Each structure stands twice: as C-alpha cells, then as structure tokens.
C-alpha cells in the first residue's frame, strides 16, 4: 500500500508559504502605473478647487507645467517597472496604422462636439497674455500633451486597467487576449474621463484596438501622441482654447 503524503498544504501555514488571502489586490507594478495617473488627476482637482476659491484662470495656467513635471517625475521613479516600454520596436505597417488612427481620432475629436456630447463647461487653457500668445506656455502645453500624457495614460488605461480587469496579475495577460468586458469597460471609463465624452469613447476604442492588434503599448502611445500633438496645433491655429 502506498504511504499517504503527510505534507501539509501551503495554505495551512507551510514554511515560506503565503496565504492567498494575504496577497495584495494591487502589486507594485500596478501602483507604478496608477500613481502617475493619480498625480495628474490630483492637479486637475487642485486647479478646480483654486478656481472655486476665486483664483483667476490666468493665474493658474502655469500649474500645468507643475503637473506635467510631477507626472514626469513619477514616470522616471517607476521606469524600471515598465517592461512593456523597453522594446520600442514597432513595424513600419503598424506604425503607419497607428499614425493614421491618431489622425482620424483627431478629426473625430474636433467634430464630435454637439452639446449633448459634452460634460460640463470646460474653461480650457488660454495662453494669450495682453493680446499675445505666450509661446513658451504653448510649447510646455504641447510637450506635456503630446509626449508625457500619452505615456502616462496608456500605461494606466491599456497596460494596467484593461488587463487588470481580467486578472489581478495583469502583467501576464497578453494584450491580444483581453476580454470584451475589459475592452468595453476601459473604453467607457476613458471616454467619461474627458469633457468630450463621446469623442473620448471613440479615442479609447481606437487606442485599445491598436494595443490588442499590435500587442505593443507603443502603438497606442504613438497614435495618442499624434492626436494630442496635432490637436495642440489645431487649437493654437484656430483659437479654440476650450479644447485644451
């Protein structure tokens, strides 16, 4: 007769074992993607609070530079956790698809602006001082929107949240295998993060589709960067500051 194994299960307190219930819901890798996003949102809330306390919108314009600097600092601090950004290779066809997608999203972004497609009344960001555009302020704004925000948002929305919805150990989830539920939930939340909620949903769906299709975060980052960069040029050219 075979002798019965008397080894206690790991959950019963075996040496070195960690009970399942003690496993944190959010890992260090998760926080590395969440904290830069929270930092960005924090400064939006600060600006809103100061505005409600009577601060003039013109006096708060340079708060954007502080916000972007803080987000950049967070990204640098946690850079070692962004394994998906270490391989920057993106095929020519995939890059072209991402750029075309970014351009299409821009066109839709400035077109989907009917009253019912907008939440609230955004003040925007007006860099005009004494009748003249402050080009340094414009440069900082476009730099942040085109180079910092896409990395920060794609790390949070696509790399983390969309995969985390399927599995708390999100890093092991292949982009091409995310569920429809994760895709839809992330897209809707991304959309309603913006004043132009319908345009945001369209953009979220497009960027998520790129991530799933190309299986690299650099694809939606590239598209997102082009959208935001061209949007900045369009805003300065047309003077539609509320889109900022």
């Amino acid at each position: 007769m075979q002798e019965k194994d008397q080894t206690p299960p790991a959950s019963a307190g075996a040496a070195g074992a960690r009970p399942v219930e003690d496993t944190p819901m959010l890992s260090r890798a998760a926080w590395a993607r969440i904290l830069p996003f929270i930092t960005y949102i924090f400064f939006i809330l600060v600006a809103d609070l100061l505005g409600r306390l009577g601060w003039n919108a013109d006096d708060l314009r340079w708060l954007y530079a502080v916000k972007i600097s803080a987000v950049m600092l967070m990204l640098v601090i946690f850079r070692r956790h962004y394994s998906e950004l270490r391989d920057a290779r993106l095929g020519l066809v995939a890059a072209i698809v991402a750029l075309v997608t970014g351009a299409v999203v821009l066109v839709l972004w400035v077109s989907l602006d009917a009253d019912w497609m907008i939440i609230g009344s955004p003040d925007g960001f007006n860099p005009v001082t004494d009748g003249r555009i402050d080009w340094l302020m414009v440069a900082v704004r476009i730099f942040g929107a085109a180079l910092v925000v896409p990395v920060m948002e794609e790390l949070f929305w696509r790399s983390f949240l969309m995969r985390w919805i399927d599995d708390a150990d999100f890093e092991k989830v292949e982009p091409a295998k995310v569920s429809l539920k994760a895709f839809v939930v992330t897209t809707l939340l991304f959309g309603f993060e913006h004043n132009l909620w319908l345009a945001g949903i369209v953009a979220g769906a497009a960027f998520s589709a790129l991530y799933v299709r190309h299986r690299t975060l650099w694809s939606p980052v590239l598209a997102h960067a082009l959208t935001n960069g061209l949007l900045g040029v369009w805003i300065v050219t047309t003077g539609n500051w509320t889109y900022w």
Side-chain angles (χ1 to χ4, degrees), residues 65-230:
V66 178
K67 173 171 63 177
I68 288 300
S69 297
V71 172
M72 288 177 61
L73 177 61
M74 298 297 288
L75 293 174
V76 170
I77 290 175
F78 293 114
R79 65 188 183 281
R80 294 182 180 178
H81 291 279
Y82 307 142
S83 57
E84 64 272 61
L85 295 181
R86 293 172 192 162
D87 187 354
R89 290 178 297 178
L90 184 64
L92 178 60
V93 173
I96 292 174
V97 170
L99 290 172
V100 170
T101 300
V104 171
V105 169
L106 167 69
V107 174
L108 294 175
W109 193 274
V110 299
S111 302
L112 299 174
D113 60 351
D115 291 341
W116 64 272
M117 301 175 185
I118 304 175
I119 300 175
S121 302
D123 295 326
F125 180 89
N126 189 338
V128 176
T129 302
D130 296 329
R132 296 183 179 181
I133 294 177
D134 187 325
W135 290 107
L136 177 58
M137 198 174 291
V138 168
V140 170
R141 182 76 190 200
I142 292 181
F143 170 82
L147 298 180
V148 180
V149 171
V151 175
M152 175 269 296
E153 286 203 315
E154 294 308 317
L155 280 169
F156 175 76
W157 290 109
R158 253 60 67 178
S159 175
F160 164 64
L161 187 61
M162 189 161 73
R163 295 190 293 170
W164 181 81
I165 290 174
D166 285 339
D167 193 324
D169 189 7
F170 69 95
E171 290 183 291
K172 73 179 183 182
V173 178
E174 289 293 329
K177 296 182 179 179
V178 297
S179 67
L180 179 61
K181 171 187 173 182
F183 187 100
V184 171
V185 170
T186 304
T187 296
L188 291 176
L189 291 176
F190 180 84
F192 284 100
E193 177 201 11
H194 300 84
N195 295 109
L196 293 167
W197 64 268
L198 184 56
I201 288 176
V202 171
F207 298 154
S208 294
L210 287 175
Y211 185 47
V212 172
R213 178 67 180 85
H214 295 151
R215 295 179 293 178
T216 170
L217 197 65
W218 284 110
S219 182
V221 165
L222 180 59
H224 201 155
L226 183 69
T227 297
N228 287 6
L230 291 180

Side-chain angles (χ1 to χ4, degrees), residues 27-72:
S27 62
R28 289 184 179 180
W31 283 114
R33 292 158 177 77
I34 294 171
L35 290 177
F37 180 77
I38 289 179
T39 300
Y40 187 83
I41 297 300
F42 169 76
F43 279 97
I44 292 178
L45 296 177
V46 168
D48 181 70
L49 176 61
L50 292 177
R52 293 175 185 274
L53 292 176
W55 285 59
N56 189 290
D58 289 347
D59 296 330
L60 297 174
R61 291 178 299 180
W62 281 108
L63 187 60
Y64 183 83
V66 178
K67 173 171 63 177
I68 288 300
S69 297
V71 172
M72 288 177 61

